[in-house]
Amino acid sequence: MHIVITGAAGFLGQRLVDQLVSAGQLAGSSLSRLTLIDQTEPPRPEAGDLATKTLALDISQPGALDDVLAEQPDVIYHFAAVVSSAAEGDLDLGMRVNFDATRDLLEGCRKHGLTRTRLIMASSVAAYGGDLPHTLDDMTALHPQNSYGAQKAMSELLINDYSRRGLVDGLVLRLPTIVIRPGRPNAAASSFASSILREPLKGEDAICPVSPDLELFIMSPATVVDALVHGAEVPGEALGAFRAFMLPGITVSVSEMLETLREVGGESALARVQFRPDPKIEAIVGSWPSRFSNLRASRLGFRSDKDFRDIVRAFMDENA
Amino acid sequence: MHIVITGAAGFLGQRLVDQLVSAGQLAGSSLSRLTLIDQTEPPRPEAGDLATKTLALDISQPGALDDVLAEQPDVIYHFAAVVSSAAEGDLDLGMRVNFDATRDLLEGCRKHGLTRTRLIMASSVAAYGGDLPHTLDDMTALHPQNSYGAQKAMSELLINDYSRRGLVDGLVLRLPTIVIRPGRPNAAASSFASSILREPLKGEDAICPVSPDLELFIMSPATVVDALVHGAEVPGEALGAFRAFMLPGITVSVSEMLETLREVGGESALARVQFRPDPKIEAIVGSWPSRFSNLRASRLGFRSDKDFRDIVRAFMDENA
């Protein structure tokens, strides 16, 4: 089995690579090749006999993936994207990377006859917005209130249409906000959701730009990676009439997150979080829904985290 | 007021031109210019003092509309499209005309600073599909099961995002199936819905490719044109978080349509309809929903037809 990952140098890509290499198999077939792609060359994993290629490619250049797709990969994980704040700041950049590159990837699959290749794109809770019901379900419309969400929603429609036409075997997983991400704060509007836990737990200060009442729909890194692996295992026939849906996150408010921070890290950790409201961030993240009834994802065997405390403890264990 | 219409040689465009010219005004401002665009030069209306330009343009050529947009039109009606069966038959053609040309139009509006220009695109019931509820509402997801619907749904997202960013004042009206269209059968999957009435009422034979139980969500030509005019009148502030919604059609089954044909045209008219099932047509049209609860459209002042019999009678009067 040959697996390709775009955006492989990113946090999700790296975490998935670790899991794939350690499992040595995916969807019941043993791994033979791994092609890791990002703007800058991704780190080469310690992968024993596994044939591993790491490539620095600008996938927003038409045909950039042509040579890779000519090798007939079995599974493609498409993570490469411009994050929400950046896409809001630069419409052209967002369109080029978040939409045009996805379209070009689909055209490459079509050109090389990859009808049986499972193409898995990460979409986002940011694709929802507008006058939403209290609890969303699998038939709730995508009315995105940010350009990143609009570009992801358009890519979803295109992946579904190419799949429906039998040109590729696509699947789009809408990811909840991932908490706790490792690393440093970034340009994602949701960056604070990890930062207000990660930095204090490391003894550093953090800024919370939103109200404590704000609720988020979240999933831990480990559970997201499990879902990405499971996404390669679900048979295409089971995916039904639309190949995009929300993964089963859990609903947590900022104040619940901070209360858990206090429990796990103590008063000193909590004291490191300073509220400094940012109306732009609050407007973007506040437009994302936080309560879902995830019938399809659960029926297809995707799992959620059990408890927010476990997510924080797992982060502590990993970073001990 | 300067109005531009793409796809102006088509049935909708022509009918709208007639209405605009006879009213002499739109949204409270008197008409000063009319620019009519289509692949082949649209007919020049008898418009008295009104400055009228008719242009043969391939709007799928990047920048084709540049000169027109440089003239700072106040309202743009964007009807140019490849119909459903044709878009299903040729993915590239559908993408180019139904999506890329819309994107190019939006980019032209952005380039020329048309932030206050009302851009009205016609979308379609064909954008819905999949596991739909019995009655749809304004928050029902678009899970199109045909490429035409996917391309329209993508264009909707783009128009909404450009409008949200203040680059244009966009609005998308999802049209029900229009019955009774004049003219001849065409490549639209829904062509039969007019044909099974129009041809027999003219004393000609017609083919019905779907089951009599199939229900359609329809609107008469006169009511659609009223909605297009009203679309230029609704203030942008009233349009809310997502600028695309379904117009209020009425639900009619094929057997009800044929019963009305018998009432209005007699047994001889009904006898001219021959059932010849076409699974392709049935699959496409059968995936379109037929029951809606149109809260937003009604609240915004869009009207529906009263009765199917009136639609047939109006056709008879117009073609007497």
mmCIF file of all heavy atoms in Angstrom, chain A residues 97-137:
data_model
loop_
_atom_site.group_PDB
_atom_site.id
_atom_site.type_symbol
_atom_site.label_atom_id
_atom_site.label_comp_id
_atom_site.label_asym_id
_atom_site.label_seq_id
_atom_site.Cartn_x
_atom_site.Cartn_y
_atom_site.Cartn_z
ATOM 1 N N VAL A 97 -4.786 27.876 -2.599
ATOM 2 C CA VAL A 97 -4.324 26.703 -1.847
ATOM 3 C C VAL A 97 -5.497 25.826 -1.397
ATOM 4 O O VAL A 97 -5.469 24.606 -1.540
ATOM 5 C CB VAL A 97 -3.478 27.133 -0.633
ATOM 6 C CG1 VAL A 97 -3.065 25.907 0.184
ATOM 7 C CG2 VAL A 97 -2.259 27.924 -1.093
ATOM 8 N N ASN A 98 -6.529 26.446 -0.854
ATOM 9 C CA ASN A 98 -7.614 25.649 -0.272
ATOM 10 C C ASN A 98 -8.580 25.105 -1.318
ATOM 11 O O ASN A 98 -9.182 24.061 -1.102
ATOM 12 C CB ASN A 98 -8.384 26.489 0.746
ATOM 13 C CG ASN A 98 -7.530 26.859 1.939
ATOM 14 O OD1 ASN A 98 -6.503 26.230 2.198
ATOM 15 N ND2 ASN A 98 -7.930 27.888 2.664
ATOM 16 N N PHE A 99 -8.731 25.811 -2.437
ATOM 17 C CA PHE A 99 -9.662 25.311 -3.449
ATOM 18 C C PHE A 99 -8.960 24.833 -4.728
ATOM 19 O O PHE A 99 -9.089 23.678 -5.122
ATOM 20 C CB PHE A 99 -10.728 26.354 -3.795
ATOM 21 C CG PHE A 99 -11.654 25.875 -4.864
ATOM 22 C CD1 PHE A 99 -12.587 24.884 -4.592
ATOM 23 C CD2 PHE A 99 -11.553 26.349 -6.165
ATOM 24 C CE1 PHE A 99 -13.409 24.390 -5.593
ATOM 25 C CE2 PHE A 99 -12.376 25.854 -7.170
ATOM 26 C CZ PHE A 99 -13.306 24.876 -6.878
ATOM 27 N N ASP A 100 -8.210 25.728 -5.372
ATOM 28 C CA ASP A 100 -7.627 25.359 -6.673
ATOM 29 C C ASP A 100 -6.710 24.139 -6.574
ATOM 30 O O ASP A 100 -6.692 23.293 -7.477
ATOM 31 C CB ASP A 100 -6.839 26.537 -7.261
ATOM 32 C CG ASP A 100 -7.756 27.686 -7.688
ATOM 33 O OD1 ASP A 100 -8.898 27.408 -8.093
ATOM 34 O OD2 ASP A 100 -7.331 28.850 -7.595
ATOM 35 N N ALA A 101 -5.935 24.047 -5.496
ATOM 36 C CA ALA A 101 -5.025 22.905 -5.364
ATOM 37 C C ALA A 101 -5.807 21.604 -5.167
ATOM 38 O O ALA A 101 -5.401 20.547 -5.658
ATOM 39 C CB ALA A 101 -4.053 23.132 -4.205
ATOM 40 N N THR A 102 -6.950 21.692 -4.479
ATOM 41 C CA THR A 102 -7.796 20.503 -4.321
ATOM 42 C C THR A 102 -8.358 20.076 -5.676
ATOM 43 O O THR A 102 -8.377 18.891 -6.026
ATOM 44 C CB THR A 102 -8.958 20.795 -3.344
ATOM 45 O OG1 THR A 102 -8.412 21.241 -2.106
ATOM 46 C CG2 THR A 102 -9.808 19.555 -3.120
ATOM 47 N N ARG A 103 -8.793 21.066 -6.445
ATOM 48 C CA ARG A 103 -9.327 20.779 -7.784
ATOM 49 C C ARG A 103 -8.239 20.158 -8.665
ATOM 50 O O ARG A 103 -8.504 19.199 -9.404
ATOM 51 C CB ARG A 103 -9.837 22.091 -8.393
ATOM 52 C CG ARG A 103 -10.429 21.934 -9.786
ATOM 53 C CD ARG A 103 -11.026 23.262 -10.232
ATOM 54 N NE ARG A 103 -11.530 23.210 -11.579
ATOM 55 C CZ ARG A 103 -12.087 24.260 -12.195
ATOM 56 N NH1 ARG A 103 -12.213 25.416 -11.542
ATOM 57 N NH2 ARG A 103 -12.531 24.156 -13.426
ATOM 58 N N ASP A 104 -7.042 20.706 -8.572
ATOM 59 C CA ASP A 104 -5.942 20.186 -9.371
ATOM 60 C C ASP A 104 -5.604 18.739 -8.967
ATOM 61 O O ASP A 104 -5.315 17.893 -9.822
ATOM 62 C CB ASP A 104 -4.718 21.096 -9.184
ATOM 63 C CG ASP A 104 -3.667 20.864 -10.250
ATOM 64 O OD1 ASP A 104 -4.021 20.890 -11.449
ATOM 65 O OD2 ASP A 104 -2.502 20.628 -9.893
ATOM 66 N N LEU A 105 -5.680 18.476 -7.674
ATOM 67 C CA LEU A 105 -5.457 17.112 -7.183
ATOM 68 C C LEU A 105 -6.516 16.155 -7.747
ATOM 69 O O LEU A 105 -6.210 15.043 -8.202
ATOM 70 C CB LEU A 105 -5.485 17.139 -5.655
ATOM 71 C CG LEU A 105 -5.460 15.822 -4.883
ATOM 72 C CD1 LEU A 105 -4.279 14.950 -5.286
ATOM 73 C CD2 LEU A 105 -5.422 16.091 -3.369
ATOM 74 N N LEU A 106 -7.766 16.600 -7.738
ATOM 75 C CA LEU A 106 -8.847 15.776 -8.295
ATOM 76 C C LEU A 106 -8.632 15.538 -9.792
ATOM 77 O O LEU A 106 -8.833 14.425 -10.299
ATOM 78 C CB LEU A 106 -10.198 16.453 -8.067
ATOM 79 C CG LEU A 106 -10.725 16.406 -6.639
ATOM 80 C CD1 LEU A 106 -11.872 17.385 -6.438
ATOM 81 C CD2 LEU A 106 -11.182 14.985 -6.295
ATOM 82 N N GLU A 107 -8.220 16.585 -10.495
ATOM 83 C CA GLU A 107 -7.966 16.429 -11.932
ATOM 84 C C GLU A 107 -6.806 15.454 -12.167
ATOM 85 O O GLU A 107 -6.819 14.677 -13.126
ATOM 86 C CB GLU A 107 -7.659 17.790 -12.557
ATOM 87 C CG GLU A 107 -8.909 18.570 -12.918
ATOM 88 C CD GLU A 107 -9.738 17.835 -13.978
ATOM 89 O OE1 GLU A 107 -9.243 17.618 -15.094
ATOM 90 O OE2 GLU A 107 -10.877 17.462 -13.661
ATOM 91 N N GLY A 108 -5.801 15.502 -11.289
ATOM 92 C CA GLY A 108 -4.686 14.555 -11.396
ATOM 93 C C GLY A 108 -5.154 13.119 -11.195
ATOM 94 O O GLY A 108 -4.734 12.210 -11.917
ATOM 95 N N CYS A 109 -6.037 12.920 -10.223
ATOM 96 C CA CYS A 109 -6.589 11.576 -9.980
ATOM 97 C C CYS A 109 -7.359 11.092 -11.204
ATOM 98 O O CYS A 109 -7.264 9.929 -11.610
ATOM 99 C CB CYS A 109 -7.505 11.589 -8.759
ATOM 100 S SG CYS A 109 -6.643 11.850 -7.199
ATOM 101 N N ARG A 110 -8.107 12.017 -11.807
ATOM 102 C CA ARG A 110 -8.883 11.686 -13.010
ATOM 103 C C ARG A 110 -7.950 11.315 -14.157
ATOM 104 O O ARG A 110 -8.140 10.297 -14.830
ATOM 105 C CB ARG A 110 -9.718 12.911 -13.364
ATOM 106 C CG ARG A 110 -10.588 12.791 -14.587
ATOM 107 C CD ARG A 110 -11.242 14.147 -14.842
ATOM 108 N NE ARG A 110 -12.145 14.140 -15.962
ATOM 109 C CZ ARG A 110 -12.626 15.249 -16.507
ATOM 110 N NH1 ARG A 110 -12.300 16.440 -16.005
ATOM 111 N NH2 ARG A 110 -13.450 15.178 -17.539
ATOM 112 N N LYS A 111 -6.932 12.142 -14.346
ATOM 113 C CA LYS A 111 -5.995 11.924 -15.449
ATOM 114 C C LYS A 111 -5.295 10.572 -15.336
ATOM 115 O O LYS A 111 -5.095 9.880 -16.347
ATOM 116 C CB LYS A 111 -4.959 13.056 -15.432
ATOM 117 C CG LYS A 111 -3.822 12.927 -16.435
ATOM 118 C CD LYS A 111 -2.851 14.096 -16.312
ATOM 119 C CE LYS A 111 -1.587 13.836 -17.116
ATOM 120 N NZ LYS A 111 -0.598 14.925 -16.895
ATOM 121 N N HIS A 112 -4.930 10.205 -14.105
ATOM 122 C CA HIS A 112 -4.170 8.966 -13.917
ATOM 123 C C HIS A 112 -5.066 7.770 -13.577
ATOM 124 O O HIS A 112 -4.568 6.717 -13.190
ATOM 125 C CB HIS A 112 -3.095 9.178 -12.848
ATOM 126 C CG HIS A 112 -2.030 10.131 -13.292
ATOM 127 N ND1 HIS A 112 -1.090 9.799 -14.241
ATOM 128 C CD2 HIS A 112 -1.778 11.419 -12.955
ATOM 129 C CE1 HIS A 112 -0.303 10.848 -14.459
ATOM 130 N NE2 HIS A 112 -0.691 11.838 -13.697
ATOM 131 N N GLY A 113 -6.364 7.957 -13.701
ATOM 132 C CA GLY A 113 -7.290 6.841 -13.530
ATOM 133 C C GLY A 113 -7.321 6.264 -12.121
ATOM 134 O O GLY A 113 -7.490 5.054 -11.955
ATOM 135 N N LEU A 114 -7.189 7.128 -11.109
ATOM 136 C CA LEU A 114 -7.136 6.637 -9.724
ATOM 137 C C LEU A 114 -8.548 6.436 -9.153
ATOM 138 O O LEU A 114 -8.893 6.943 -8.088
ATOM 139 C CB LEU A 114 -6.343 7.603 -8.845
ATOM 140 C CG LEU A 114 -4.942 7.981 -9.325
ATOM 141 C CD1 LEU A 114 -4.206 8.792 -8.264
ATOM 142 C CD2 LEU A 114 -4.144 6.725 -9.665
ATOM 143 N N THR A 115 -9.348 5.656 -9.884
ATOM 144 C CA THR A 115 -10.754 5.500 -9.519
ATOM 145 C C THR A 115 -10.931 4.792 -8.180
ATOM 146 O O THR A 115 -11.935 4.972 -7.512
ATOM 147 C CB THR A 115 -11.514 4.706 -10.597
ATOM 148 O OG1 THR A 115 -10.855 3.448 -10.764
ATOM 149 C CG2 THR A 115 -11.505 5.444 -11.924
ATOM 150 N N ARG A 116 -9.941 3.969 -7.801
ATOM 151 C CA ARG A 116 -10.067 3.223 -6.544
ATOM 152 C C ARG A 116 -9.223 3.819 -5.425
ATOM 153 O O ARG A 116 -9.111 3.233 -4.346
ATOM 154 C CB ARG A 116 -9.699 1.758 -6.771
ATOM 155 C CG ARG A 116 -10.667 1.080 -7.755
ATOM 156 C CD ARG A 116 -10.109 -0.250 -8.247
ATOM 157 N NE ARG A 116 -9.905 -1.183 -7.164
ATOM 158 C CZ ARG A 116 -10.811 -2.054 -6.727
ATOM 159 N NH1 ARG A 116 -11.987 -2.097 -7.306
ATOM 160 N NH2 ARG A 116 -10.548 -2.862 -5.726
ATOM 161 N N THR A 117 -8.596 4.950 -5.683
ATOM 162 C CA THR A 117 -7.772 5.588 -4.654
ATOM 163 C C THR A 117 -8.664 6.334 -3.657
ATOM 164 O O THR A 117 -9.511 7.131 -4.055
ATOM 165 C CB THR A 117 -6.783 6.580 -5.305
ATOM 166 O OG1 THR A 117 -5.893 5.844 -6.135
ATOM 167 C CG2 THR A 117 -6.001 7.357 -4.241
ATOM 168 N N ARG A 118 -8.471 6.021 -2.386
ATOM 169 C CA ARG A 118 -9.211 6.742 -1.348
ATOM 170 C C ARG A 118 -8.522 8.084 -1.089
ATOM 171 O O ARG A 118 -7.391 8.117 -0.604
ATOM 172 C CB ARG A 118 -9.270 5.901 -0.065
ATOM 173 C CG ARG A 118 -9.841 6.587 1.175
ATOM 174 C CD ARG A 118 -11.279 7.083 1.033
ATOM 175 N NE ARG A 118 -12.264 6.140 0.574
ATOM 176 C CZ ARG A 118 -12.961 5.321 1.358
ATOM 177 N NH1 ARG A 118 -12.784 5.316 2.652
ATOM 178 N NH2 ARG A 118 -13.845 4.499 0.845
ATOM 179 N N LEU A 119 -9.206 9.171 -1.457
ATOM 180 C CA LEU A 119 -8.704 10.528 -1.233
ATOM 181 C C LEU A 119 -9.425 11.100 -0.021
ATOM 182 O O LEU A 119 -10.647 11.246 -0.027
ATOM 183 C CB LEU A 119 -8.985 11.401 -2.463
ATOM 184 C CG LEU A 119 -8.815 12.911 -2.286
ATOM 185 C CD1 LEU A 119 -7.364 13.271 -1.978
ATOM 186 C CD2 LEU A 119 -9.291 13.652 -3.534
ATOM 187 N N ILE A 120 -8.673 11.390 1.042
ATOM 188 C CA ILE A 120 -9.271 11.891 2.287
ATOM 189 C C ILE A 120 -8.836 13.330 2.522
ATOM 190 O O ILE A 120 -7.655 13.602 2.724
ATOM 191 C CB ILE A 120 -8.848 11.014 3.486
ATOM 192 C CG1 ILE A 120 -9.290 9.563 3.264
ATOM 193 C CG2 ILE A 120 -9.447 11.574 4.795
ATOM 194 C CD1 ILE A 120 -8.783 8.590 4.317
ATOM 195 N N MET A 121 -9.784 14.255 2.461
ATOM 196 C CA MET A 121 -9.464 15.658 2.739
ATOM 197 C C MET A 121 -9.962 16.029 4.128
ATOM 198 O O MET A 121 -11.035 15.603 4.545
ATOM 199 C CB MET A 121 -10.100 16.600 1.709
ATOM 200 C CG MET A 121 -9.690 18.066 1.934
ATOM 201 S SD MET A 121 -10.471 19.276 0.809
ATOM 202 C CE MET A 121 -12.073 19.481 1.617
ATOM 203 N N ALA A 122 -9.162 16.848 4.816
ATOM 204 C CA ALA A 122 -9.620 17.415 6.084
ATOM 205 C C ALA A 122 -10.389 18.692 5.801
ATOM 206 O O ALA A 122 -9.873 19.618 5.197
ATOM 207 C CB ALA A 122 -8.418 17.694 6.979
ATOM 208 N N SER A 123 -11.661 18.733 6.235
ATOM 209 C CA SER A 123 -12.429 19.963 6.215
ATOM 210 C C SER A 123 -12.602 20.399 7.663
ATOM 211 O O SER A 123 -11.877 19.918 8.548
ATOM 212 C CB SER A 123 -13.773 19.762 5.501
ATOM 213 O OG SER A 123 -14.494 20.980 5.426
ATOM 214 N N SER A 124 -13.560 21.269 7.926
ATOM 215 C CA SER A 124 -13.533 21.927 9.230
ATOM 216 C C SER A 124 -14.905 22.355 9.707
ATOM 217 O O SER A 124 -15.819 22.605 8.916
ATOM 218 C CB SER A 124 -12.631 23.153 9.110
ATOM 219 O OG SER A 124 -12.787 24.009 10.201
ATOM 220 N N VAL A 125 -15.038 22.496 11.006
ATOM 221 C CA VAL A 125 -16.229 23.068 11.623
ATOM 222 C C VAL A 125 -16.454 24.490 11.115
ATOM 223 O O VAL A 125 -17.568 25.001 11.132
ATOM 224 C CB VAL A 125 -16.094 23.010 13.163
ATOM 225 C CG1 VAL A 125 -14.998 23.961 13.643
ATOM 226 C CG2 VAL A 125 -17.397 23.310 13.875
ATOM 227 N N ALA A 126 -15.386 25.123 10.618
ATOM 228 C CA ALA A 126 -15.477 26.496 10.111
ATOM 229 C C ALA A 126 -16.315 26.592 8.837
ATOM 230 O O ALA A 126 -16.641 27.685 8.386
ATOM 231 C CB ALA A 126 -14.090 27.058 9.839
ATOM 232 N N ALA A 127 -16.677 25.448 8.243
ATOM 233 C CA ALA A 127 -17.519 25.472 7.050
ATOM 234 C C ALA A 127 -18.977 25.754 7.406
ATOM 235 O O ALA A 127 -19.779 26.112 6.554
ATOM 236 C CB ALA A 127 -17.405 24.155 6.293
ATOM 237 N N TYR A 128 -19.325 25.589 8.688
ATOM 238 C CA TYR A 128 -20.685 25.915 9.139
ATOM 239 C C TYR A 128 -20.773 27.385 9.538
ATOM 240 O O TYR A 128 -19.771 27.997 9.900
ATOM 241 C CB TYR A 128 -21.065 25.069 10.352
ATOM 242 C CG TYR A 128 -21.236 23.601 10.072
ATOM 243 C CD1 TYR A 128 -20.195 22.710 10.294
ATOM 244 C CD2 TYR A 128 -22.440 23.107 9.593
ATOM 245 C CE1 TYR A 128 -20.350 21.345 10.058
ATOM 246 C CE2 TYR A 128 -22.610 21.751 9.349
ATOM 247 C CZ TYR A 128 -21.563 20.875 9.589
ATOM 248 O OH TYR A 128 -21.724 19.536 9.346
ATOM 249 N N GLY A 129 -21.991 27.917 9.555
ATOM 250 C CA GLY A 129 -22.170 29.280 10.024
ATOM 251 C C GLY A 129 -23.569 29.771 9.718
ATOM 252 O O GLY A 129 -24.404 29.034 9.181
ATOM 253 N N GLY A 130 -23.840 31.019 10.066
ATOM 254 C CA GLY A 130 -25.147 31.605 9.800
ATOM 255 C C GLY A 130 -26.147 31.303 10.900
ATOM 256 O O GLY A 130 -25.763 31.099 12.054
ATOM 257 N N ASP A 131 -27.419 31.252 10.538
ATOM 258 C CA ASP A 131 -28.493 31.067 11.527
ATOM 259 C C ASP A 131 -28.647 29.587 11.844
ATOM 260 O O ASP A 131 -29.565 28.925 11.360
ATOM 261 C CB ASP A 131 -29.809 31.625 10.974
ATOM 262 C CG ASP A 131 -29.674 33.094 10.597
ATOM 263 O OD1 ASP A 131 -29.009 33.826 11.363
ATOM 264 O OD2 ASP A 131 -30.213 33.493 9.556
ATOM 265 N N LEU A 132 -27.764 29.069 12.670
ATOM 266 C CA LEU A 132 -27.717 27.629 12.917
ATOM 267 C C LEU A 132 -28.704 27.207 14.004
ATOM 268 O O LEU A 132 -28.986 27.963 14.929
ATOM 269 C CB LEU A 132 -26.294 27.239 13.335
ATOM 270 C CG LEU A 132 -25.260 27.351 12.211
ATOM 271 C CD1 LEU A 132 -23.849 27.253 12.781
ATOM 272 C CD2 LEU A 132 -25.491 26.271 11.166
ATOM 273 N N PRO A 133 -29.195 25.970 13.887
ATOM 274 C CA PRO A 133 -30.019 25.436 14.971
ATOM 275 C C PRO A 133 -29.149 25.157 16.209
ATOM 276 O O PRO A 133 -27.915 25.158 16.115
ATOM 277 C CB PRO A 133 -30.563 24.131 14.380
ATOM 278 C CG PRO A 133 -29.559 23.726 13.355
ATOM 279 C CD PRO A 133 -28.981 25.005 12.811
ATOM 280 N N HIS A 134 -29.775 24.902 17.346
ATOM 281 C CA HIS A 134 -29.034 24.639 18.590
ATOM 282 C C HIS A 134 -28.130 23.424 18.430
ATOM 283 O O HIS A 134 -26.960 23.459 18.809
ATOM 284 C CB HIS A 134 -30.026 24.418 19.740
ATOM 285 C CG HIS A 134 -29.348 24.093 21.033
ATOM 286 N ND1 HIS A 134 -29.171 22.800 21.475
ATOM 287 C CD2 HIS A 134 -28.763 24.890 21.949
ATOM 288 C CE1 HIS A 134 -28.535 22.827 22.631
ATOM 289 N NE2 HIS A 134 -28.267 24.076 22.945
ATOM 290 N N THR A 135 -28.684 22.352 17.854
ATOM 291 C CA THR A 135 -27.887 21.148 17.612
ATOM 292 C C THR A 135 -27.908 20.853 16.118
ATOM 293 O O THR A 135 -28.983 20.770 15.522
ATOM 294 C CB THR A 135 -28.453 19.952 18.397
ATOM 295 O OG1 THR A 135 -28.445 20.274 19.789
ATOM 296 C CG2 THR A 135 -27.610 18.701 18.173
ATOM 297 N N LEU A 136 -26.741 20.692 15.528
ATOM 298 C CA LEU A 136 -26.650 20.448 14.088
ATOM 299 C C LEU A 136 -26.690 18.954 13.805
ATOM 300 O O LEU A 136 -26.376 18.133 14.678
ATOM 301 C CB LEU A 136 -25.358 21.050 13.537
ATOM 302 C CG LEU A 136 -25.348 22.572 13.371
ATOM 303 C CD1 LEU A 136 -25.322 23.278 14.723
ATOM 304 C CD2 LEU A 136 -24.152 22.996 12.538
ATOM 305 N N ASP A 137 -27.057 18.611 12.586
ATOM 306 C CA ASP A 137 -26.997 17.209 12.192
ATOM 307 C C ASP A 137 -26.403 17.094 10.791
ATOM 308 O O ASP A 137 -25.892 18.071 10.245
ATOM 309 C CB ASP A 137 -28.372 16.538 12.310
ATOM 310 C CG ASP A 137 -29.400 17.152 11.372
ATOM 311 O OD1 ASP A 137 -29.005 17.654 10.293
ATOM 312 O OD2 ASP A 137 -30.593 17.122 11.704
#
